[in-house]
Amino acid sequence: MIEYKECKRLFHLKTREFSYVIQILENNLLINRYFGKKIKYFSDDNKIAYQDRAFSPNPTSKDRTFSLDTLPLEFSSNGLGDFRTSAIEVSNEYGTALDLKYKSHRIYQGKDYLKGLPASFGNEDVVETLEIELYDSLSDVTVVLSYSVFEERNVITRSAKVIAGKTAIHLEKLLSFTLDFPHKDFDVHTLTGRYGYEKEWTKTPLTQGKYSIGSIRGASSHSRTPFIALASPEATEQSGEIYSAHLIYSGNFTAFAETTAIHTTRLGMGLNDEKFRWVLEPGQEFQSPEAILSYTDKGFTGMTRDSHEFIRHHLTRGTFAQKERPILINNWEGTYFDFTEDKLISLASEAAKVGIELFVLDDGWFGKRNSDTCSLGDWVENREKLPNGLKGLAKKVNDLGMTFGLWFEPEMVSEDSDLYREHPNWAIQITGRGHTYSREQLVLDLSQDEVCDYIIESVSNVLNSANIGYVKWDMNRNITNIPENQANHEKHEFYHRYILGLYRILETLNQRFPNVLFESCSGGGGRNDLGMLYYMPQAWASDNTDAIGRLSIQEGTSLIYPTISMGSHVSAVPNHQVGRITPLETRGNVAMLGNLGYELDLTQLESSELEEIAEQVETYKSIRQTVQFGDYYRLQKTDNTYAYNLISKDKSQVVFTFVKILSQPEAPFIRVRLEGLDPEATYYCEKLSASFGGDELMNIGLTIPYVQKDYFSLQYIFNKK
Ligand code: GLA
């Protein structure tokens, strides 16, 4: 996977589909020679093109063609000639510039964990790591770049570690990587959006200048995802070159693509340097989060496949990583805060009858919480609502044959709570300033160890008090009023320390409760990122439960995150977020594209609706392996239609889903060709009472019936004969 050619001082990193070549120049500068489709051998006869460029500074007066401003640098720092966005900045008694030069390297099988941070993992058979040590002799600063090559998964991960030498430094900025491309013929693809409309797939042509996304909300946010891809403008689902990058992090981040006057492109990603400064005393080190890099020439389908497989096998951990996930019912939209134990049990009983496997009690079970104005922080069951406590309720749910799950929002505190009255200083605040509110709640200061310990213990106590098999971990506001101006005016460490505190809490709870399935949530997808997926193998994709609204949210989410990780619920009509009335069939078909759940009051439904739900649940159980672990294809998307197929790894089962939003007069016939099937096999579809060759379905395709109905959908399941 990693070859080092001493004579040319070249590292050639190879994965299944791509090559990544780094060279150490004579003056020990580290540059990127190639990143793209796999090549057997990098000859180095394809020389670096040096050119005297006006206003591009030179490190030596003897050679006007050599400039940091124009070379494809492997890890950039500016101040000595490179005017592009840098990967690192420190300030110390020598100023802010760094002259990072190669010092040493080591190559080893396997991959180390990143201290305190979530990171990908793999054993010695599947991953090999290169560490390159760069050194600035004047300031005695060392930077260690790590490259872990997952050959078969078609991924290289990168991270950077800074080590202070004999003097203290202020680390002003540290990205996980920068990467220079020799041209700018790209579109930038990101996932943007807003609350209730997360992960909108956004394409922006790259022109001269800089395109960047990021967050300074203390969470990755509803409107930004730590993901960026550069795609050739002609890339389609099936073909075209795409370079993609993810950051395994849940807090403030930045990602950008920047073009230069001479039409090169720099891609970069890492911690956001806004409100960031870390003080390193002599000998101390700082580790960046890890980034995942990949390349494919197989279009967006190829990118999605690599991303899903990598996340499923090398990022999601624990008991549930490779397990089919239970179909759940969540009481939130069914009851909101207005429930009693009897109400919950009648809901659970209906759920059990239709075959649902997990009952989740959402917000409102603790303290005196009957609205969203109080009690966050008081993780003690409300005996008025639950006279038999969580233990009694869990037992009754278990007796119905279901697992019992519970909602928490542990990072928060209400002003009207015992916790706040006892520890007002645990809420993030600036002394002398009033609070800033959001949903009337405040954020606990996770940069303080004792606050994290309180969260660990209070959540553990609840989990130990009853038979709880699932936790929905919510986070319903962003962070403001950070106090570091008082603590130490030289530091801006708060946001990252908060995330490190959160990761410590989650790591501890993962270890203490290996048999609890965790699902992350932040008002839906406000923190749906790879940092959280490391600790919690599924995420509630959006509070928007409207089947039509969900189409683009789910499409964006599953562009990069596995379908198994995407919580997707069927809810009541008229829909609570948008007021739309869609058929139950369409709500079911759309939710079955992810990790299926229900979120409505089943006791209010007609018996025919309950029968339909029972059928949906039964169907999902028969296709769950395919949906949750199979390969996912986006087949067709227009302003009015969406079509997908999921196919099991052994190609024996195919789930085809089609949705048409609005009915139109005299609409043309719609034909959809399936993908990924076994061309030699025959597939039988019970609903159609018909058999088709795999090659027929892929080449002729299916003609969608002409139905004059809005929000029409269909799902066909094909099994290999
Ligand atoms: C957030 C979540 C919802 C629900 C509520 C409860 O908005 O996204 O699913 O849990 O909190 O207050």
Side-chain angles (χ1 to χ4, degrees):
M1 301 181 217
I2 301 174
E3 294 159 9
Y4 179 57
K5 207 190 295 167
E6 178 75 52
C7 56
K8 307 247 176 186
R9 304 219 292 174
L10 271 170
F11 299 98
H12 190 162
L13 284 49
K14 287 181 186 167
T15 70
R16 195 186 71 230
E17 283 187 37
F18 68 86
S19 287
Y20 188 109
V21 182
I22 307 164
Q23 189 165 35
I24 310 160
L25 296 186
E26 254 173 53
N27 66 356
N28 285 334
L29 187 71
L30 201 65
I31 62 165
N32 187 284
R33 294 301 307 274
Y34 177 68
F35 177 24
K37 196 174 169 74
K38 190 172 184 172
I39 49 173
K40 284 194 288 299
Y41 179 73
F42 186 86
S43 69
D44 193 32
D45 286 339
N46 203 341
K47 295 290 177 209
I48 302 168
Y50 290 107
Q51 176 71 35
D52 177 4
R53 298 277 183 189
F55 287 82
S56 285
N58 320 113
T60 136
S61 60
K62 307 274 178 299
D63 183 0
R64 291 190 184 192
T65 68
F66 191 97
S67 174
L68 299 181
D69 198 27
T70 54
L71 281 165
L73 305 179
E74 195 53 27
F75 200 71
S76 59
S77 60
N78 52 28
L80 297 175
D82 183 12
F83 291 115
R84 294 164 288 183
T85 304
S86 64
I88 182 169
E89 188 170 319
V90 302
S91 60
N92 57 21
E93 58 188 288
Y94 306 105
T96 58
L98 284 177
D99 187 16
L100 291 169
K101 292 289 168 61
Y102 169 87
K103 188 173 176 195
S104 67
H105 74 268
R106 79 176 176 121
I107 295 171
Y108 63 93
Q109 294 299 316
K111 175 177 191 298
D112 285 344
Y113 286 95
L114 301 191
K115 202 168 154 237
L117 287 168
S120 62
F121 53 82
N123 65 29
E124 295 183 352
D125 303 339
V126 300
V127 54
E128 189 174 14
T129 299
L130 162 68
E131 276 180 10
I132 302 179
E133 197 176 83
L134 304 176
Y135 182 63
D136 175 47
S137 54
L138 182 65
S139 63
D140 196 24
V141 169
T142 301
V143 178
V144 181
L145 303 182
S146 291
Y147 302 80
S148 292
V149 183
F150 292 80
E151 183 178 8
E152 275 314 304
R153 298 285 176 210
N154 206 36
V155 156
I156 291 179
T157 64
R158 280 191 62 177
S159 68
K161 183 164 70 184
V162 178
I163 307 165
K166 50 188 179 300
T167 54
I169 57 171
H170 289 183
L171 185 60
E172 307 283 352
K173 172 183 194 177
L174 181 66
L175 298 185
S176 299
F177 75 89
T178 52
L179 191 53
D180 290 341
F181 294 87
H183 65 87
K184 67 163 186 59
D185 308 325
F186 293 119
D187 288 332
V188 189
H189 292 254
T190 52
L191 296 170
T192 57
R194 58 180 183 272
Y195 171 80
Y197 191 55
E198 296 88 337
K199 299 218 174 350
E200 187 190 2
W201 183 356
T202 306
K203 170 171 138 179
T204 314
L206 194 55
T207 53
Q208 193 156 313
K210 187 170 168 182
Y211 174 93
S212 81
I213 56 158
S215 167
I216 54 158
R217 290 173 169 270
S220 46
S221 88
H222 293 90
S223 53
R224 306 283 186 262
T225 299
F227 158 79
I228 190 165
L230 296 179
S232 60
E234 61 280 2
T236 64
E237 280 293 344
Q238 292 84 10
S239 68
E241 293 193 300
I242 303 171
Y243 299 85
S244 59
H246 299 262
L247 192 69
I248 307 175
Y249 193 63
S250 312
N252 295 350
F253 76 96
T254 182
F256 67 88
E258 179 183 28
T259 59
T260 66
I262 56 167
H263 293 190
T264 63
T265 302
R266 174 165 291 173
L267 183 70
M269 195 173 210
L271 292 172
N272 200 324
D273 57 329
E274 183 109 348
K275 299 236 182 281
F276 174 83
R277 178 187 294 143
W278 204 272
V279 178
L280 290 178
E281 299 299 337
Q284 283 187 339
E285 55 185 55
F286 182 90
Q287 173 65 56
S288 83
E290 184 175 53
I292 299 170
L293 294 176
S294 188
Y295 160 90
T296 182
D297 65 353
K298 298 188 171 47
F300 290 100
T301 301
M303 181 189 83
T304 295
R305 182 86 60 258
D306 288 338
S307 183
H308 285 194
E309 294 295 312
F310 188 74
I311 293 167
R312 283 206 292 106
H313 293 282
H314 300 288
L315 193 82
T316 37
R317 309 176 298 165
T319 316
F320 297 93
Q322 307 303 330
K323 256 196 185 169
E324 287 188 7
R325 307 291 164 74
I327 302 169
L328 66 80
I329 179 140
N330 179 303
N331 74 311
W332 179 241
E333 285 198 15
T335 67
Y336 295 104
F337 293 101
D338 185 17
F339 59 82
T340 58
E341 185 191 279
D342 286 348
K343 174 72 199 172
L344 296 176
I345 292 302
S346 56
L347 182 53
S349 307
E350 289 303 330
K353 279 189 222 153
V354 296
I356 290 173
E357 299 153 323
L358 163 65
F359 177 84
V360 181
L361 172 55
D362 209 277
D363 197 353
W365 58 266
F366 52 92
K368 57 182 179 74
R369 188 153 164 105
N370 292 314
S371 72
D372 61 10
T373 58
C374 69
S375 299
L376 291 170
D378 298 344
W379 301 108
V380 177
E381 63 210 358
N382 177 335
R383 284 272 173 172
E384 274 168 40
K385 282 178 166 175
L386 307 174
N388 298 300
L390 287 170
K391 188 170 182 178
L393 177 63
K395 167 134 192 2
K396 288 186 185 177
V397 170
N398 293 160
D399 289 347
L400 290 166
M402 285 189 292
T403 304
F404 177 68
L406 197 60
W407 179 96
F408 286 90
E409 196 180 351
E411 297 160 67
M412 301 290 153
V413 64
S414 307
E415 251 183 343
D416 181 6
S417 69
D418 293 342
L419 183 68
Y420 184 80
R421 283 181 280 275
E422 204 178 321
H423 295 289
N425 60 330
W426 282 10
I428 298 173
Q429 60 198 289
I430 299 169
T431 309
R433 271 193 204 288
H435 290 307
T436 304
Y437 300 89
S438 185
R439 214 191 189 201
E440 292 188 36
Q441 63 197 55
L442 306 173
V443 188
L444 287 171
D445 183 351
L446 270 56
S447 73
Q448 296 183 40
D449 280 348
E450 63 173 339
V451 177
C452 296
D453 292 341
Y454 168 80
I455 293 175
I456 291 169
E457 294 315 320
S458 57
V459 173
S460 296
N461 288 343
V462 176
L463 295 184
N464 284 324
S465 74
N467 191 16
I468 298 168
Y470 162 103
V471 165
K472 177 178 172 187
W473 184 288
D474 212 339
M475 196 277 286
N476 279 315
R477 68 158 286 181
N478 291 135
I479 300 175
T480 60
N481 297 54
I482 55 169
E484 46 206 14
N485 57 340
Q486 304 147 357
N488 183 339
H489 71 282
E490 290 185 330
K491 295 185 183 180
H492 280 303
E493 298 186 352
F494 184 87
Y495 277 113
H496 186 56
R497 285 205 184 276
Y498 180 95
I499 294 293
L500 292 179
L502 172 65
Y503 288 156
R504 178 168 79 82
I505 294 168
L506 299 181
E507 181 65 38
T508 310
L509 291 173
N510 276 182
Q511 281 173 20
R512 281 192 192 175
F513 301 98
N515 295 321
V516 172
L517 170 61
F518 284 88
E519 176 155 356
S520 81
C521 174
S522 171
R527 199 170 55 186
N528 186 0
D529 54 55
L530 294 187
M532 295 309 287
L533 272 186
Y534 178 78
Y535 301 101
M536 308 197 183
Q538 55 193 61
W540 176 223
S542 180
D543 275 0
N544 183 350
T545 58
D546 169 55
I548 301 305
R550 278 254 154 189
L551 289 167
S552 71
I553 297 167
Q554 294 190 175
E555 178 146 313
T557 306
S558 57
L559 179 70
I560 53 174
Y561 298 159
T563 46
I564 191 172
S565 71
M566 183 171 71
S568 319
H569 299 177
V570 171
S571 64
V573 289
N575 174 266
H576 293 195
Q577 291 78 39
V578 298
R580 189 177 280 127
I581 298 178
T582 51
L584 180 53
E585 184 181 5
T586 294
R587 282 175 274 153
N589 288 344
V590 172
M592 279 192 245
L593 289 165
N595 192 331
L596 177 67
Y598 288 81
E599 189 164 333
L600 71 173
D601 186 353
L602 296 180
T603 66
Q604 301 297 309
L605 299 188
E606 306 286 334
S607 57
S608 60
E609 291 174 301
L610 288 170
E611 273 165 33
E612 194 174 337
I613 288 179
E615 276 168 31
Q616 289 177 352
V617 167
E618 198 185 327
T619 301
Y620 191 72
K621 287 177 182 169
S622 75
I623 59 173
R624 176 159 44 189
Q625 184 68 27
T626 302
V627 174
Q628 299 191 347
F629 298 95
D631 290 343
Y632 172 74
Y633 291 88
R634 291 171 294 272
L635 301 176
Q636 195 188 79
K637 186 181 164 191
T638 67
D639 288 345
N640 204 31
T641 56
Y642 288 76
Y644 307 95
N645 73 239
L646 281 139
I647 177 158
S648 58
K649 286 285 176 203
D650 64 1
K651 298 189 186 292
S652 65
Q653 188 181 57
V654 186
V655 180
F656 170 76
T657 307
F658 173 85
V659 184
K660 183 163 149 197
I661 301 174
L662 293 180
S663 178
Q664 294 162 329
E666 289 304 330
F669 286 116
I670 297 169
R671 182 174 67 113
V672 186
R673 296 202 278 199
L674 277 60
E675 283 185 44
L677 282 64
D678 175 355
E680 306 300 326
T682 304
Y683 291 89
Y684 178 69
C685 174
E686 204 179 310
K687 212 174 256 172
L688 295 169
S689 305
S691 295
F692 304 86
D695 55 353
E696 259 187 293
L697 289 170
M698 290 195 291
N699 292 302
I700 302 174
L702 291 167
T703 302
I704 305 299
Y706 194 91
V707 177
Q708 285 181 300
K709 253 203 265 169
D710 287 344
Y711 318 129
F712 164 76
S713 74
L714 53 82
Q715 179 196 62
Y716 293 148
I717 298 166
F718 298 90
N719 287 301
K720 207 173 186 177
K721 287 226 277 202

